[in-house]
Amino acid sequence: MFFAKRRPYILVMPALIFISVLFLAPIVFLLFNSIYVHQDGRYFSFASYITFLSDSYGWALLLRTVRISFFTVLACLILAFPVALHMRRLSSHKRSMLAIALLSPLLTSVVVRTLAWVTLLGPKGLVNSAVVWLGFTPLPLMYNDFGVIVGLTHVFFGYMFLALTASTLKLDDTPLLAAANLGASHWQIFRHIVLPLCMPGIVSGSILVFAMSASAYIVPELLGGSATKVMATEIYDLAINYLEWNDATVVAVVLFVALSLIVAVMTKFYEPLRRAVSGAEES
């Protein structure tokens, strides 16, 4: 009887222990190291946070990280949404083949995929070689925000596609046909029916892609270089190249808090949309 009442808690306990050890414990240790200073004695201080937040360089890093992540989400959404809607019209066999083709890059290392973009977008890469052959000036496709966004979009497109497909495949044809019979245009059907019903997938995919883009290191390092530094590359440089562990933990905590706040705001907007969509589906 004792174990029967507590069976749900016992079943959940391994997952809680796993999350606590591998996620919460490192976060707590990170927070501790960011305020525990080994200088002139051992004491706690928030001076590193004040220094970072009062420096325009730190704010520039944060804003660039958020900007690049936002445009990566936008690019993934624009590219993945039409494909996810097209999946509804395909047979199960063709749908599986298209999904395999679109998700196959996820089976390749991020480093390999990013190096492929280096050969394409580099100053003497394939794209600029073609531009020069046509008689034009080479384009600045790397070591800027554009190159990083292109690389991140390629890396995280599959995650947005999976989130959107999960929503589009659940769309009911009945309200779409009813709206068409009542004279609604394709744009009206998309705006008033398809888009609201797919909003849960849009929000969940946006949160996933935004969080991973903001914490990505390889793509900004290879395609952005020192000219387009983001929070992740700054953390690596401070910790590995300069051995400034305290400053590195401060930047990591600021990035973690900023991402948590942005995701919390997106989730807050997602809940009313989810309830509204659920109510519309039930009615």
Side-chain angles (χ1 to χ4, degrees):
M1 191 67 179
F2 175 81
F3 290 101
K5 291 182 178 180
R6 290 164 175 79
R7 184 178 301 169
Y9 302 100
I10 296 175
L11 294 176
V12 172
M13 192 60 64
L16 291 177
I17 295 174
F18 179 82
I19 293 174
S20 299
V21 172
L22 297 183
F23 180 74
L24 294 180
I27 294 299
V28 173
F29 182 73
L30 195 68
L31 291 171
F32 178 81
N33 278 346
S34 66
I35 60 175
Y36 190 63
V37 181
H38 297 268
Q39 186 177 0
D40 297 331
R42 297 184 175 183
Y43 61 96
F44 295 94
S45 173
F46 291 93
S48 297
Y49 285 98
I50 297 174
T51 301
F52 179 84
L53 296 176
S54 60
D55 188 6
S56 59
Y57 176 75
W59 282 105
L61 282 177
L62 181 59
L63 293 176
R64 185 183 297 119
T65 302
V66 173
R67 182 176 66 248
I68 288 175
S69 302
F70 171 78
F71 281 109
T72 301
V73 170
L74 188 61
C76 289
L77 184 60
I78 293 174
L79 293 174
F81 207 175
V83 182
L85 290 175
H86 181 65
M87 293 281 284
R88 300 181 63 253
R89 303 181 179 182
L90 301 178
S91 62
S92 59
H93 176 70
K94 292 182 179 179
R95 189 183 302 162
S96 300
M97 296 300 294
L98 180 59
I100 292 173
L102 293 175
L103 298 177
S104 58
L106 295 178
L107 303 177
T108 309
S109 170
V110 177
V111 178
V112 175
R113 283 184 284 171
T114 307
L115 288 176
W117 279 109
V118 172
T119 61
L120 289 173
L121 304 179
K124 296 184 179 180
L126 296 178
V127 175
N128 273 322
S129 297
V131 171
V132 172
W133 182 77
L134 293 173
F136 298 99
T137 305
L139 302 174
L141 303 177
M142 272 184 57
Y143 308 121
N144 50 31
D145 290 3
F146 174 80
V148 177
I149 292 171
V150 169
L152 290 176
T153 301
H154 181 226
V155 171
F156 299 126
F157 169 85
Y159 299 99
M160 179 67 78
F161 171 74
L162 288 174
L164 292 176
T165 303
S167 293
T168 57
L169 293 181
K170 293 192 299 183
L171 287 175
D172 188 4
D173 291 331
T174 302
L176 304 180
L177 294 175
N181 290 333
L182 291 173
S185 63
H186 291 291
W187 168 248
Q188 290 174 326
I189 294 174
F190 174 78
R191 179 182 176 185
H192 296 288
I193 299 177
V194 175
L195 193 60
L197 292 177
C198 293
M199 193 58 67
I202 293 173
V203 176
S204 59
S206 298
I207 291 175
L208 187 63
V209 173
F210 185 89
M212 292 190 296
S213 299
S215 58
Y217 167 75
I218 294 296
V219 175
E221 178 67 20
L222 295 179
L223 294 177
S226 59
T228 312
K229 297 197 68 174
V230 294
M231 299 286 279
T233 55
E234 181 70 11
I235 294 169
Y236 180 88
D237 286 341
L238 289 173
I240 304 302
N241 296 332
Y242 305 117
L243 300 179
E244 296 289 346
W245 289 95
N246 182 260
D247 293 338
T249 54
V250 169
V251 178
V253 170
V254 171
L255 176 61
F256 176 77
V257 172
L259 284 179
S260 300
L261 292 175
I262 293 173
V263 170
V265 171
M266 297 175 70
T267 305
K268 183 179 180 180
F269 283 103
Y270 165 72
E271 284 301 323
L273 288 171
R274 184 185 62 81
R275 288 194 293 267
V277 170
S278 299
E281 289 177 344
E282 292 175 359
S283 61

